[in-house]
Amino acid sequence: MTAIFDIPIQALMAQLMLGLVNGSFYAVLSLGLAVIFGMLNIINFAHGALYMMGAFLAWMGLEYLGIGYWPSLLLAPLAVGLFGILIERSMLQWLYKLDHLYGLLLTFGLALVIEGFFTNSYGVSGQPYSIPAELTGGFNLGFMFLPYYRGWVILASLLVCFATWFGIEKTRLGAYLRAATENPQLTQAFGINVPLMVMLTYGFGAALAGFAGALAAPVIQVSPLMGSHLIITVFAVVVIGGMGSILGSIVTGLGLGVIEGLTNLLYPAASNTVVFVIMAIVLMVRPAGLFGKEK
Amino acid sequence: MSRQAFAYLALLALGIALPFFVYPVLVMKVLCFALFACAFNLLLGYTGLLSFGHAAFFGTAAYVAGYAIKGWGFPTELGLLAGTAASAFLGWAVGSLAIRRTGIYFAMVTLALAQMVYFIFLQAPFTGGEDGLQGVPRGRLLGLIDLSRDLNLYYFVLAIFVFAFWLIYRTIHSPFGHVLTAIRENEPRAISLGYDVAKYKLLAFVLSAGLSGLAGATKMLVFKFATLTDAHWHASGEVVLMTILGGMGTVLGPVVGSSTIVTLQNELADKVGSLVTVIMGMIFVVCVLAFRRGIVGEISALYKRMIGARNEQ
């Protein structure tokens, strides 16, 4: 067995792998969007810009301070998370009583500011960031070649997604969080500091985006525009999956990444648009999204 | 004559006189974006639907009109109509899908579908890819008036703007427009009163898309080319910004907003370079945080307060 439908199995596996890598980023980013949306009722348009920031901070850490990949993987999300907290405290907190659309508009403005700032400082061309020495090379599995780094991206994303799911569904803090999402006033009445939870939630969501960015830095060129290209696709992913469930976000993200990879193999011209086409079909068949609940 | 009618006539006189004082191409650009923003405001300000994908209609009409005039040799006015019709049709397709969701999902769906349109234009052979569709002749209006002269074209563009503005004004103040406002204010109530809300929303969407298309096609004619910039999500964001800065849900707000933004971009372009995006983003943030009624909204609120204070005395 070396070919299916005249497609060499190596090519098929390579595209599947690429699809899973992209899907991992979709999963982590849409998870962050869902967590923020659940608590703040805001669609964070700045998510793509925060993702880009994560990648840039990793790159800058290496370029200016000599901070290697592994510490960056921790420091970049931390810095982006703190930046997110700053945004929440200084701006977003004033919008909670208004129409949710204002949150989208504000974060859109922020995305422009962040993106414009980096474009102005570094231009639009990409900065290379090399794969850490421990993860260069790869396995030869016989039927395909698996680069270590790609495997690591998928593994790390799944771990982070699982940890987030576990934290929200199975821990005490997660229970407070779910309670505050369900009924903020009542939760506050029980003595839980809801505004603090909201702040930390936004910070955590931002940190997830930053983590995805740092993780992506070695597989793509670090460029100021990398986030905005991705975030619109992630929005489509969110519409397809619905933001009702955490596992739903993860499954939808990975699944769409794989579909995109396969499309790239079968009909490359459509690989950019296939996610949007699927979104249109889902809207026709199941407007609330695959895992969503109609309110 | 009412005070309002007088104000509109004064504005029209200003529009007629302006090209003798300001570079006509700049004013034409302002008029095109003003029309774009007015069409967008019909949806955001009067129906309460935030579309984040209006650049798709702006760009589609620019490409279709450009291709019809350059590739098929359409006369200018037919080319513009073809572009407008194409955008209205696209508006019908996008609108039918998007109105299945509300609120922020509506915004995300329109954004995603517009991105799809963008990618199609990026790859389609007739658009010229990254270079765009260049060298579209302006032609002659009805075969008589030479539009390659800027001043002739200016009055043609002004006429298009005035016609479209009148159409939007009439729509807002018609029974149809009042139903749209009712949907914006309280959708469940509009449904319970027996209005087919989906149909009203779709019609508003198609109208808004078509008029956005007219704006895009006209802009193409002014600059003689259509590029991917017209269909990029930045353009979608810009029209949102113009509308909010001027005052959404006010008749003149989008005109004020777009004049401000286009002039600002024009002034800043050679001074700060790519920092323009940062400045636009900051204006966005300030508008949302502290200035939600926009310029015209604030002025009319101030005016009403003054009237109120005078009546109390």
Side-chain angles (χ1 to χ4, degrees), chain B residues 59-68 70-72 86 117-134 136 226-228:
Chain B
T60 298
Y63 277 121
V64 171
Y67 198 79
K70 193 186 174 191
W72 297 331
V117 172
Y118 175 84
F119 277 125
I120 292 172
F121 284 147
L122 182 65
Q123 289 168 344
F126 72 93
T127 59
E130 306 270 1
D131 298 332
L133 189 68
Q134 300 198 356
V136 179
T227 62
L228 286 169

Side-chain angles (χ1 to χ4, degrees), chain A residues 37 41 43 45 90-91 94-95 98 100-102 104-106 108-110 112-113 115-117 119-120 228-229 232 235-236 238-239 242-243 269 272-273 276-277 279-280 283-284 287-289 294, chain B residues 44 48-50 52 97-98 100-101 103-105 107-109 111-113 115-116 119-120 122-123 232-234 236-238 240 244 248 272-275 277-278 280-282 284-285 288-289 292:
Chain A
F37 181 74
N41 271 323
I43 280 291
F45 210 118
S90 60
M91 298 175 223
W94 310 109
L95 297 178
L98 302 170
H100 305 334
L101 290 175
Y102 284 111
L104 180 72
L105 294 174
L106 182 89
F108 177 79
L110 284 174
L112 286 185
V113 172
E115 208 180 273
F117 173 77
T119 309
N120 193 53
S228 55
H229 286 311
I232 302 179
F235 278 172
V238 164
V239 173
M243 281 185 293
N272 281 331
T273 43
F276 304 118
V277 174
M279 183 191 79
L283 279 171
M284 278 189 267
E294 195 73 74
Chain B
L44 176 64
L49 296 173
L50 171 60
F52 239 107
L97 283 172
R100 288 163 172 266
R101 303 301 307 260
I104 34 182
Y105 280 101
M108 286 195 284
V109 169
L111 177 65
L113 290 173
Q115 186 74 354
M116 180 163 98
F119 277 125
I120 292 172
L122 182 65
Q123 289 168 344
H232 195 260
W233 61 270
H234 266 195
S236 297
E238 252 167 39
V240 180
I244 294 183
M248 61 173 144
V272 296
S274 57
L275 276 180
T277 323
V278 179
M280 292 298 133
M282 283 177 175
F284 228 115
V285 170
V288 173
L289 280 179
R292 283 183 289 274

Side-chain angles (χ1 to χ4, degrees), chain B residues 62-305:
Chain B
Y63 277 121
V64 171
Y67 198 79
I69 293 171
K70 193 186 174 191
W72 297 331
F74 271 37
T76 305
E77 55 281 355
L78 270 185
L80 295 186
L81 276 181
T84 309
S87 287
F89 178 74
L90 184 67
W92 172 80
V94 171
S96 324
L97 283 172
I99 58 168
R100 288 163 172 266
R101 303 301 307 260
T102 52
I104 34 182
Y105 280 101
F106 182 89
M108 286 195 284
V109 169
T110 45
L111 177 65
L113 290 173
Q115 186 74 354
M116 180 163 98
V117 172
Y118 175 84
F119 277 125
I120 292 172
F121 284 147
L122 182 65
Q123 289 168 344
F126 72 93
T127 59
E130 306 270 1
D131 298 332
L133 189 68
Q134 300 198 356
V136 179
R138 283 178 182 172
R140 288 168 170 275
L141 179 63
L142 302 170
L144 298 169
I145 304 164
D146 182 12
L147 292 177
S148 60
R149 287 189 52 204
D150 279 349
L151 213 56
N152 289 353
L153 183 69
Y154 176 81
Y155 288 109
F156 179 48
V157 172
L158 184 66
I160 291 177
F161 175 78
V162 169
F163 163 75
F165 186 82
W166 172 81
L167 188 69
I168 292 170
Y169 184 90
R170 282 307 310 145
T171 307
I172 293 168
H173 294 89
S174 69
F176 171 73
H178 290 298
V179 176
L180 294 185
T181 314
I183 293 171
R184 180 192 71 189
E185 292 299 320
N186 194 336
E187 190 172 333
R189 193 150 179 197
I191 295 171
S192 74
L193 284 172
Y195 289 110
D196 188 347
V197 167
K199 212 157 78 184
Y200 278 92
K201 280 184 181 173
L202 184 58
L203 200 54
F205 200 95
V206 172
L207 195 60
S208 173
L211 289 172
S212 300
L214 182 60
T218 312
K219 183 190 161 243
M220 183 283 301
L221 199 65
V222 173
F223 291 97
K224 298 181 249 181
F225 59 76
T227 62
L228 286 169
T229 322
D230 299 331
H232 195 260
W233 61 270
H234 266 195
S236 297
E238 252 167 39
V239 75
V240 180
L241 177 59
M242 289 170 182
T243 310
I244 294 183
L245 177 66
M248 61 173 144
T250 61
V251 177
L252 279 176
V255 182
V256 175
S258 51
S259 314
T260 315
I261 296 290
V262 172
T263 316
L264 202 62
Q265 282 174 339
N266 195 54
E267 290 292 316
L268 292 175
D270 25 319
K271 286 175 197 140
V272 296
S274 57
L275 276 180
V276 170
T277 323
V278 179
I279 293 168
M280 292 298 133
M282 283 177 175
I283 297 177
F284 228 115
V285 170
V286 171
C287 277
V288 173
L289 280 179
F291 200 57
R292 283 183 289 274
R293 282 189 286 213
I295 299 172
V296 172
E298 291 291 346
I299 291 175
S300 83
L302 195 71
Y303 182 71
K304 272 179 197 152
R305 243 199 331 261

